[in-house]
Amino acid sequence: MRRLNVELADRRYPILIGKGLLTQSGALEAYLHGKRAAVISNQTVAPLYLDRLAGTLQKVGAGVTPIILPDGEIHKTWESLNAIYDALLAARCDRGTTVIALGGGVIGDLAGFAAATYQRGVPFIQMPTTLLAQVDSSVGGKTGINHPRGKNMIGAFWQPRLVLADTDTLATLPSRELSAGLAEVIKYGLIRDPRFLEWLEANIEGLVNRDGELLAYAIERSCANKAEIVVADEFETAREGGRALLNLGHTFGHAIEAGLGYGTWLHGEAVAAGTMVAVELSHRLGWLSTADVDRVRELLRRAGLPVRAPQLGTERYFELMAHDKKVVDGQLRLVLLKALGEGVTWAAAPRETIAEAIAACCHE
Ligand code: NAD
Ligand code: GLY
């Protein structure tokens, strides 16, 4: 088992990564608050892994209230959140109940927001089962739901007490979802970890083929990078850089997701194409060479990810990006690369250069 910590003073918590962790009672016993757990999962993940986890919880003497939601980003809504509150109240869950998220980022974000708000906040544990959730969404305490007018518009910061990533769960993950998670893994290399980027270039086929040791290492390096970023800028208030760097490719990516209709492309796929736009723009600003651009494109392609953005029309991209949370005081603050392994937040890119970069990355 690999272990690292998110060093948030009095809210410090461990991230455990390894095979078979859902069946190991030791970690759970140490971090379970009280003798009651509400396990929030969905109709895809629960049949695969809920029994395994419930058995372990029962072994440590905890009562289990399962709450099973329909699967999908379209259910990351107020209605699902309300269904969680209803189930917690019906089961008479009190503040001694620990909320456990068993699933991907959708379940993690929903369960975390429920934990942040139920009875003004109850303890929370993340058990991520997608690669994206194991390397990104389960760490750092961002929780929330979508609003019809925008993704992740309602939410709270609520740190978990424990993140437990059982790498065995990745065996059942569809390949497209695995690749989508790799987009976020590659992000860490690009924004701050050039040695990890080189390691990824050497091992990407092994990751795509689900080599357990390689995946565990990639998850550990990703979480170590994310933990450092979160500790330095928990609430994303840094004027430059900071937690916002995690949004490399996301402003363009969100525009792709919204422009095509949510669910057409996976989040990680849109982030990959969005990363190519950011890389192309960084090249046009004189920071990256054409060889750098080719290097990133090749790595994303080998990870099974799209490297061309859909042809939505440049004006439509600007319209969609104007709704992004990264617009501050009407200014679009993009994450770009000064070099491979060195991300920056940048609000001074000329509109016409952004338009050229988008056009250069779109399908003919
Ligand atoms: P997801 O939760 O929708 O999971 C993807 C699919 O895989 C779903 O159908 C799910 O049921 C299925 N699945 C999950 N685990 C499985 C397994 N082990 N075997 C088989 N199928 C499995 O999507 P995701 O990519 O994990 O997360 C995306 C969400 O995460 C978005 O809502 C995004 O906004 C959010 N997110 C949050 C943060 C954060 O910091 N809080 C960061 C990044 C993304
Ligand atoms: N995934 C973005 C963040 O956690 O800040």
Side-chain angles (χ1 to χ4, degrees), residues 136 139 142 187 226 236 243 246-247:
D136 190 350
V139 176
K142 280 191 183 175
K187 169 183 81 180
K226 179 144 187 189
E236 205 169 315
R243 189 163 182 165
L246 293 169
N247 297 319

Side-chain angles (χ1 to χ4, degrees), residues 1 17 75 130 174 191 222 241 309 362:
M1 180 174 74
I17 303 154
H75 297 291
T130 62
I191 59 172
S222 300
C362 282

Side-chain angles (χ1 to χ4, degrees), residues 130-133 135 176-186 268 305:
T130 62
L131 182 61
L132 182 138
V135 300
R176 215 179 136 194
E177 297 286 353
L178 189 89
S179 289
L182 287 174
E184 305 286 9
V185 172
I186 292 168
L305 289 160

